């Protein structure tokens, strides 16, 4: 046992934790020395408790013990800051924290727990005295930061609502809880953070925020400043006055990068070789690209890119390709977007896309799935356009590339195949996460908004953002020598200028003609359960779904090819479970009308013949396969497979799909919509079955368990095309 005491001075208490970590994973000091690259004598000195060891040695020691150094850095920083101070007094009361940033992570070699009482002792020794903030909300805690306004302990009389992009909303909500209510102009104002992706918030604010959009924001923080001029351009006469002329200061920043599985990047010469959008465009046009690099098993070059109408990374990637073609790093004009060479490069980049998405979550979730398969992550995708912070967070074990409460996003072990960030040599755009106080916010709310921004800009809070991969609000890395993996914090980055408002609008309006088209079969469940009434609406599930599915059909472009099926057991020819309503074909005006009329004419009957329908739908899309399109099935169902014959399990379905395309030359992605709550009634686990099918085909499952949300879910589905 260690002779050190957890009640000693900060250096001794920290050494106690280091020794305890090594003992609990069952390693000798000699074994840690061999794994860390430091001598046994150096490690013995570092853990004798007389002085705090250097971070470089500490980081290597922790990693050698199988734990994550990033989770220990805040404790080391605070121990260093208080090493010469007297021990902190015990608090009268303490609160626990739901945030993960300040807790020790579980080692992959051994899951070790710390009792609450023992944890509080360590927190006190290291100076993390978690005093309950007067009236503060729940969430994570950070060391106190003094701001100009006083805190208030009485009942709150006003709320400052902040609509934040999904990649930082959970962390911002926890920081708002730590900030607590503050007093201004005689009012006690609390800060409340809601999560909404940048493009969706832009559309809602521009058309007029509705009750169905959630709480109306006083402050808007999209991932990038470009969304503000786009909102102004789309605003109605009534909403135009809402938007300030200029975006507010950045909260934190992150450069837009091309993320690539590390083995692929190293095969191209990373980190010594620089790449750009011109390279990406040429790689995309070569179906034998990876074979030429000695890796035929990786197939063609495949790109993941988010939809620029919704996602900042997708918008920045599109703009980056325009900048690179024009040859400018500062100036763009609207007529630049019309140049043939710009259209040619954009189309080359877009046509290497496997599919689009509203956020990078779909790509990262599928990467984690592929990471567990025999073929590994490179078999799924070659590169994804995303922010640097998502690369760092993904490598640290956050499957969604951010600190998030979303399903499947909880922190886990780091991936086997890490991602690395490539910084386009032509230049990068920064996601600057602006703090935009909307016009009309005055008095106490405006004062608290300014005070909260000052709190976010403090050095202590900027370090909190850095834990999840962000740079500071001045675009500088907070800890360039830290343990984060996959980024190049000391690399020279050429920063592109902010495009004018008219260029931004022109790029988005031109994108539909340049994007990769879709070859899609839409399948709608018409089983008898779709005739059930939805409480509080007076309508059946089928009646609610009809306008939403018409919207889905209308969302496809004239360059897309779309078809329509309905399905329920035994309704088709020869007892099949589906009826073709509109064959797959070019989405011209006549086809739009035909699809709309058939959706309106749907009637509910029969049981749910799910898996055989999906199998046949994939076969049909393969029969009309287009190498230059996104080939997919979009299927909506409110039930589980009710048939006693045919394919019975989602894994059996995936085996059948893969058996017909063993070489993987015609992948068809199955995007599913879990509609209504009956899928999981009585332990059926129908939603999980759809998740298995979608993930197994490199797609995504969407939830509309509340049938009244189906319209918003359809918008999310459309973002993939």
């Amino acid at each position: 046992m260690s002779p050190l005491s957890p009640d000693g001075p900060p250096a001794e208490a920290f050494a106690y934790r280091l020794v305890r970590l090594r003992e609990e994973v069952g390693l000798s000091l000699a074994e840690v020395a061999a794994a860390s690259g430091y001598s046994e004598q150096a490690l013995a000195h570092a853990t004798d408790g007389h002085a705090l060891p250097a971070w470089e040695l500490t980081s290597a020691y922790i990693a050698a013990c199988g734990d994550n150094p990033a989770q220990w850095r805040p404790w080391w920083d605070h121990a260093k800051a208080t090493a010469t101070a007297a021990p902190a007094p015990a608090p009268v009361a303490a609160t626990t924290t739901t945030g993960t940033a300040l807790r020790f992570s579980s080692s992959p070699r051994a899951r070790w727990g710390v009792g609450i009482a023992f944890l509080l002792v360590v927190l006190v020794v290291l100076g993390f005295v978690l005093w309950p903030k007067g009236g503060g909300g729940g969430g994570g805690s950070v060391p106190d930061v003094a701001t100009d306004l006083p805190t208030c302990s009485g009942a709150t009389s006003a709320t400052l609502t902040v609509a934040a992009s999904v990649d930082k909303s959970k962390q911002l909500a926890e920081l708002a809880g730590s900030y607590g209510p503050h007093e201004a102009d005689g009012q006690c104002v609390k800060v409340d953070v809601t999560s909404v992706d940048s493009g969706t918030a832009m559309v809602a604010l521009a058309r007029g925020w509705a009750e169905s959009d959630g709480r109306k924001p006083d402050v808007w923080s999209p991932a990038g400043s470009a969304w503000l001029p786009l909102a102004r351009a789309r605003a109605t006469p009534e909403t135009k006055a809402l938007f300030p002329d200029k975006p507010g200061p950045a909260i934190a920043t992150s450069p837009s990068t091309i993320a690539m599985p590390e083995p692929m990047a190293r095969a191209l010469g990373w980190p010594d070789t620089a790449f750009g959008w011109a390279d990406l465009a040429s790689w995309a046009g070569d179906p034998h690209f990876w074979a030429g690099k000695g890796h035929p098993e990786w197939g063609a070059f495949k790109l993941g890119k988010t939809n620029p109408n919704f996602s900042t990374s997708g918008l920045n990637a599109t703009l980056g390709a325009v900048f690179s073609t024009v040859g400018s790093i500062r100036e763009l004009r609207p007529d630049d977007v019309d140049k043939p060479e710009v259209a040619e490069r954009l189309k080359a980049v877009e046509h290497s896309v496997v599919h689009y998405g509203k956020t990078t979550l779909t790509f990262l979730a599928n990467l984690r799935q592929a990471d567990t398969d025999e073929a590994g992550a490179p078999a799924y995708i070659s590169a994804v356009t995303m922010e640097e912070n998502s690369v760092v967070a993904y490598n640290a074990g956050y499957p969604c590339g951010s600190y998030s409460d979303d399903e499947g996003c909880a922190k886990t072990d780091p991936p086997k195949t890490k991602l690395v960030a490539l910084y386009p040599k032509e230049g990068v755009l920064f996601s600057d996460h602006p703090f935009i106080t909307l016009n009309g916010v005055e008095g106490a709310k405006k004062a608290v908004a300014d005070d909260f921004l000052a709190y976010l800009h403090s050095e202590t809070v900027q370090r909190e953002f850095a834990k999840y991969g962000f740079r500071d609000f001045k675009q500088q890395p907070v800890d360039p020598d830290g343990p984060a993996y996959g980024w190049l914090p000391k690399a020279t980055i050429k920063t592109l200028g902010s495009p004018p408002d008219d260029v931004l609008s022109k790029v988005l309006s031109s994108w539909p003609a340049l994007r990769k088209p879709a070859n899609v079969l839409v399948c709608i469940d018409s089983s008898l359960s779709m005739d059930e009434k939805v409480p509080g609406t007076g309508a059946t599930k089928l009646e609610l779904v009809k306008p939403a599915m018409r919207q889905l059909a209308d969302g496809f472009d004239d360059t897309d090819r779309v078809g329509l099926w309905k399905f329920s057991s035994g309704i088709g020819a020869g007892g099949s479970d589906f009826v073709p309503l509109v064959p797959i074909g070019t989405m011209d005006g006549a086809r739009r009308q035909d699809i709309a009329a058939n959706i309106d004419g749907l009637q509910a009957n029969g049981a749910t013949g799910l898996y055989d329908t999906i199998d046949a739908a994939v076969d049909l899309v393969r029969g009309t396969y287009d190498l230059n399109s996104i080939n997919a099935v979009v299927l909506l169902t409110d039930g589980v497979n009710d048939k006693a014959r045919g394919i019975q399990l989602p894994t059996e379905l995936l085996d059948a799909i893969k058996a017909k395309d063993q070489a993987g030359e015609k992948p068809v992605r199955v995007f599913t919509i879990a509609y209504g709550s009956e899928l999981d009634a009585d332990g059926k686990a129908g939603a999980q079955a759809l998740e298995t099918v979608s993930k197994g085909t490199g797609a995504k499952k969407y939830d509309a368990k509340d049938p009244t949300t189906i319209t918003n879910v359809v918008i999310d589905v459309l973002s993939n095309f």
Side-chain angles (χ1 to χ4, degrees):
M1 293 294 293
S2 168
L4 301 168
S5 170
D7 299 318
E12 182 179 348
F14 190 84
Y16 175 90
R17 294 300 304 140
L18 291 176
V19 174
R20 180 72 178 267
L21 170 64
R22 177 177 60 78
E23 292 174 345
E24 288 181 345
V25 297
L27 294 177
S28 68
L29 197 62
E31 289 173 319
V32 176
S36 67
Y38 285 86
S39 69
E40 189 173 348
Q41 181 180 7
L43 296 184
H45 178 69
T47 55
D48 62 12
H50 295 306
L52 192 69
W55 173 247
E56 290 76 11
L57 182 149
T58 303
S59 176
Y61 178 105
I62 294 166
C65 291
D67 211 344
N68 182 4
Q71 301 284 22
W72 287 66
R73 183 61 191 253
W75 303 75
W76 183 89
D77 285 341
H78 207 75
K80 180 180 180 182
T82 58
T84 58
V92 175
T95 61
T96 58
T97 172
T98 60
T100 61
L102 296 181
R103 70 174 183 234
F104 292 105
S105 65
S106 297
S107 163
R109 301 190 198 180
R111 304 285 180 183
W112 51 278
V114 181
I116 292 297
F118 178 75
L119 178 59
L120 288 175
V121 170
V122 176
L123 287 170
V124 171
V125 170
L126 293 184
F128 284 99
V129 184
L130 305 182
W131 296 92
K133 297 178 74 71
S141 296
V142 297
D144 282 337
V145 174
T147 57
D148 291 340
L149 294 181
T151 59
C152 46
S153 56
T156 56
S157 54
T159 299
L160 180 79
T161 300
V162 180
S165 56
V166 295
D167 48 355
K168 64 178 182 291
S169 57
K170 180 180 180 181
Q171 187 179 15
L172 203 61
E174 292 186 353
L175 290 169
S178 294
Y179 172 75
H182 279 63
E183 184 177 346
D185 295 343
Q187 293 193 62
C188 187
V189 182
K190 72 173 182 178
V191 180
D192 185 46
V193 178
T194 63
S195 179
V196 56
D197 64 76
S198 301
T200 299
M202 181 270 289
V203 171
L205 287 166
R207 63 160 156 73
W209 198 272
E211 185 177 346
S212 59
D213 296 318
R215 294 188 296 276
K216 186 177 181 180
D218 303 298
V219 174
W220 177 31
S221 183
S225 290
W227 295 105
L228 178 60
L230 288 171
R232 280 200 303 265
R234 298 189 183 191
T236 67
E238 293 76 23
T239 62
K240 204 172 189 69
L242 185 66
F243 303 106
D245 293 333
K246 295 181 179 180
I251 294 175
T253 62
S254 188
S256 295
T257 71
I258 302 168
M260 188 174 283
E262 186 173 7
M264 291 177 147
R266 291 199 179 277
L268 298 177
W270 182 90
D272 300 320
T273 304
F275 308 99
W277 293 108
D279 299 304
L280 202 66
S282 66
W283 301 342
D286 183 359
H288 306 293
F289 175 75
W290 288 117
K293 302 297 180 182
H295 290 281
E297 72 277 12
W298 292 343
F301 187 89
K302 301 180 286 289
L303 178 67
K305 181 176 176 289
T306 50
N307 189 316
N309 288 297
F310 300 95
S311 165
T312 304
S313 64
L315 178 60
N316 284 348
T318 305
L319 290 168
V322 175
F323 269 111
S324 72
T325 311
V326 174
S328 169
I329 65 170
R330 291 294 167 196
E331 299 295 332
L332 282 181
R333 301 187 307 273
D335 59 348
D336 287 331
V337 183
D338 295 326
K339 292 179 178 178
E341 60 269 28
V342 170
E344 183 179 349
R345 177 163 297 178
L346 281 175
K347 187 169 285 190
V349 171
E350 299 293 340
H351 279 238
S352 67
V353 168
V354 293
H355 65 84
Y356 297 101
K358 199 172 186 181
T359 70
T360 56
L361 167 60
T362 301
F363 301 109
L364 292 175
N366 288 336
L367 264 174
R368 283 305 299 245
Q369 175 71 25
D371 197 50
T372 64
D373 296 340
E374 183 177 348
Y380 166 58
I381 210 159
S382 305
V384 185
T385 59
M386 68 174 67
E387 280 82 7
E388 179 187 70
N389 65 284
S390 294
V391 174
V392 173
Y394 178 81
N395 289 338
Y398 292 94
C400 300
S402 64
Y403 179 41
S404 171
D405 277 330
D406 287 351
E407 183 181 356
C409 295
K411 189 176 187 299
T412 183
D413 293 333
K416 291 185 297 183
T417 303
K418 302 288 198 300
L419 292 177
V420 297
L422 281 61
Y423 306 87
K425 60 188 177 185
E426 300 96 342
V428 303
L429 288 158
F430 268 80
S431 294
D432 58 346
H433 298 274
F435 191 89
I436 304 171
T437 303
L438 298 171
N439 290 339
V441 177
E442 299 174 343
K445 281 190 177 184
K446 178 64 167 63
V448 170
D450 293 342
D451 195 62
F452 184 52
L453 177 61
Y455 168 82
L456 296 176
H457 279 177
S458 68
E459 182 180 353
T460 299
V461 174
Q462 287 291 295
R463 282 198 170 275
E464 293 296 306
F465 284 115
K467 292 172 187 175
Y468 302 105
F470 290 101
R471 298 186 180 216
D472 70 13
F473 66 95
K474 298 178 181 178
Q475 300 184 357
Q476 298 302 309
V478 174
D479 187 8
D481 296 314
Y485 194 84
W487 68 328
L488 299 176
K490 297 180 181 180
T492 300
I493 297 178
K494 188 187 298 182
T495 304
L496 299 175
S498 299
D501 298 4
D502 51 359
V503 170
L504 288 169
S505 296
K506 188 67 175 290
V507 166
L508 281 187
S509 64
S510 302
W511 183 75
L514 301 172
R515 63 180 254 285
K516 190 172 186 176
N519 183 49
V520 176
L521 179 63
V522 178
C523 302
I524 303 175
D525 186 345
S526 61
S527 61
L528 192 58
S529 57
M530 291 287 285
D531 210 26
E532 296 171 356
K533 293 282 188 181
V534 176
T537 68
T540 67
K541 286 189 283 187
L542 188 57
E543 288 169 341
L544 287 179
V545 91
K546 287 180 179 181
M549 298 311 283
R550 286 198 304 270
Q551 178 179 331
L552 175 68
D554 287 342
F556 288 104
D557 196 70
D558 292 347
T559 59
D560 296 322
R561 291 167 47 82
V562 183
L564 177 68
W565 281 8
K566 68 175 180 178
F567 69 96
S568 61
S569 60
I571 64 170
S576 65
D577 300 325
F578 55 88
V579 173
L581 299 175
V582 181
I584 294 177
T586 303
M587 198 66 165
D588 54 19
R591 187 170 302 276
R592 288 184 191 280
Q593 293 178 7
D594 198 7
I595 289 177
N598 275 279
I599 290 174
D600 287 341
L602 288 173
Q603 294 184 350
N605 63 287
T608 306
L610 182 61
Y611 298 141
D612 286 347
T613 297
I614 296 176
D615 187 38
V618 170
D619 285 346
L620 179 69
V621 174
R622 281 208 183 112
T624 62
Y625 202 86
D626 183 356
L627 286 172
N628 295 313
S629 296
I630 300 169
N631 297 275
V633 172
V634 174
L635 180 138
L636 177 144
T637 183
D638 74 333
V640 297
N641 189 64
D642 289 334
K643 289 180 58 179
R645 56 184 174 80
I647 299 174
Q648 296 295 304
L649 298 170
T651 51
E652 185 183 350
L653 170 63
L654 291 175
D655 288 342
I657 290 173
K658 291 175 182 177
K660 299 172 190 175
D661 184 33
Q662 293 185 5
E665 295 176 347
K666 292 185 176 182
V668 176
R669 305 179 191 281
V670 181
F671 295 91
T672 57
I673 302 173
Y675 183 56
S677 59
E678 289 301 309
L679 287 94
D680 293 326
D682 303 320
K684 294 176 184 175
Q688 181 57 53
L690 295 180
E691 176 91 11
T692 299
V693 172
S694 290
K695 277 192 173 182
T697 58
K700 178 177 171 62
K701 181 264 294 181
Y702 292 87
D703 275 317
K705 292 182 179 179
D706 176 358
T708 63
T709 66
I710 184 60
T711 298
N712 290 333
V713 171
V714 162
I715 293 173
D716 291 349
V717 174
L718 271 172
S719 70
N720 292 284
F721 304 104

